Amino acid sequence: MAECTHDCGSCSESCDKRDFQVSLHKGSCVKKVIGIISGKGGVGKSLVTSLLASKVCKDGFRTAILDADITGPSIPESFGLDEERAVASETEDSLKPVVTDSGIQLMSMNFLLPNNNDPVIWRGPVIAGAVKQFWSDVIWDNVDFMFVDMPPGTGDVPLTVFQSLPVDGIIVVSSPQQLVRVIVEKAVNMANMMNVPILGLVENMSYVKCPDCGKEITVFGKSNIDKIASDFNLPVLARIPMDEATSRAVDEGDIESLDVPELNAAAEKVEALLK
């Protein structure tokens, strides 16, 4: 195949024959890459990403998070590291990830900004380039599982991640509202079109447990997750309740202290990729 000129209109090759994959930094080692996606915002992708990385880390694996939500990063604050900044490697033109208390390696756009509230006013191709550089220019130290927290939708960044990174599987995050069905279907269909394996579905904000009687209250009405899972022949990996302790831990940057047993099956599904 001829060398790619990035001018798709003049190319005689079909897209499925083009190799867009970006090389990992020569000093890095990442064994498995897991994408966390959804077709819309506000369903809790960053929460699920952080909780899963923490859970898998507690199970004895070396984990990392690549925060691909360039214009709306929230991973640093969840871990209480919003004031940290990435530092350059002493010997190479590369970056070192920020490391959490439990050893989770993180890279986020907020680690590169002068101030946390500085906006990133970039167009899509530049944002996609930053995601690639987080993969190629950061020295990831012997990572068993890298979780990629993606922005909502099926645009530039998810497409870049699916084409540029060796994604071993994705988890689709949803919430119980009826309108989410179409949004989940879009995310699932995109993954299928890109031939990326789907590990399963996670429903966030699934219910609230009454503190007095323990009854599960479905705040957003009856869930559609089982019907969606059945239609696409996918497993439901978790139903995460709305919980004050979880919200407080995230706000205080103490997400690593949480134990969310509802995510055990999802963690086992991820860990099975190495076992």
Side-chain angles (χ1 to χ4, degrees):
M1 189 174 79
E3 182 179 355
C4 180
T5 63
H6 304 288
D7 180 7
C8 295
S10 65
C11 185
S12 60
E13 297 288 343
S14 59
C15 282
D16 59 355
K17 292 182 181 179
R18 297 186 187 130
D19 184 7
F20 292 100
Q21 199 161 106
V22 176
S23 297
L24 189 65
H25 188 279
K26 63 182 181 181
S28 298
C29 175
V30 178
K31 297 175 184 176
K32 299 293 179 181
V33 178
I34 312 298
I36 310 296
I37 74 167
S38 179
K40 71 181 295 293
V43 298
K45 291 182 302 300
S46 296
L47 174 68
V48 172
T49 301
S50 301
L51 289 174
L52 267 178
S54 298
K55 170 62 179 172
V56 173
C57 182
K58 291 174 183 175
D59 288 344
F61 295 93
R62 293 176 64 87
T63 63
I65 297 176
L66 190 159
D67 189 356
D69 195 348
I70 302 298
T71 61
S74 58
I75 294 295
E77 189 167 356
S78 298
F79 287 90
L81 297 172
D82 47 311
E83 298 300 326
E84 294 291 325
R85 292 295 178 267
V87 297
S89 169
E90 297 175 358
T91 58
E92 301 179 65
D93 186 16
S94 55
L95 292 171
K96 296 179 180 179
V98 174
V99 182
T100 72
D101 291 340
S102 64
I104 302 171
Q105 300 172 51
L106 310 177
M107 181 49 65
S108 174
M109 193 65 206
N110 260 18
F111 294 147
L112 303 175
L113 299 175
N115 304 292
N116 291 330
N117 58 359
D118 289 345
V120 178
I121 309 175
W122 292 347
R123 295 191 183 276
V126 182
I127 293 173
V131 173
K132 293 179 184 179
Q133 286 186 285
F134 282 178
W135 173 257
S136 63
D137 294 357
V138 176
I139 302 177
W140 300 101
D141 183 15
N142 195 26
V143 174
D144 293 316
F145 294 103
M146 172 181 284
F147 296 89
V148 182
D149 182 25
M150 292 195 233
T154 55
D156 282 336
V157 170
L159 182 61
T160 296
V161 171
F162 288 163
Q163 290 184 323
S164 303
L165 275 60
V167 180
D168 296 282
I170 65 167
I171 291 174
V172 181
V173 182
S174 72
S175 58
Q177 297 98 320
Q178 177 66 32
L179 63 88
V180 171
R181 177 183 175 88
V182 175
I183 305 302
V184 171
E185 288 177 345
K186 288 180 181 290
V188 170
N189 286 331
M190 180 183 186
N192 288 333
M193 290 172 65
M194 302 296 296
N195 295 317
V196 178
I198 304 173
L199 301 183
L201 310 178
V202 169
E203 184 178 75
N204 189 35
M205 299 180 284
S206 189
Y207 58 88
V208 174
K209 184 170 288 189
C210 175
D212 296 322
C213 67
K215 179 181 178 180
E216 294 181 1
I217 304 169
T218 53
V219 178
F220 297 110
K222 185 178 179 181
S223 171
N224 299 289
I225 194 72
D226 289 322
K227 181 65 166 62
I228 298 172
S230 175
D231 289 347
F232 287 96
N233 194 28
L234 294 170
V236 177
L237 300 177
R239 292 178 173 85
I240 304 175
M242 299 172 69
D243 182 71
E244 182 184 359
T246 299
S247 179
R248 184 171 59 251
V250 172
D251 289 343
E252 295 175 353
D254 193 27
I255 199 165
E256 290 174 287
S257 69
L258 291 173
D259 180 22
V260 181
E262 290 84 1
L263 275 172
N264 288 350
E268 290 172 4
K269 186 82 171 183
V270 169
E271 293 166 8
L273 295 175
L274 272 184
K275 294 177 180 177

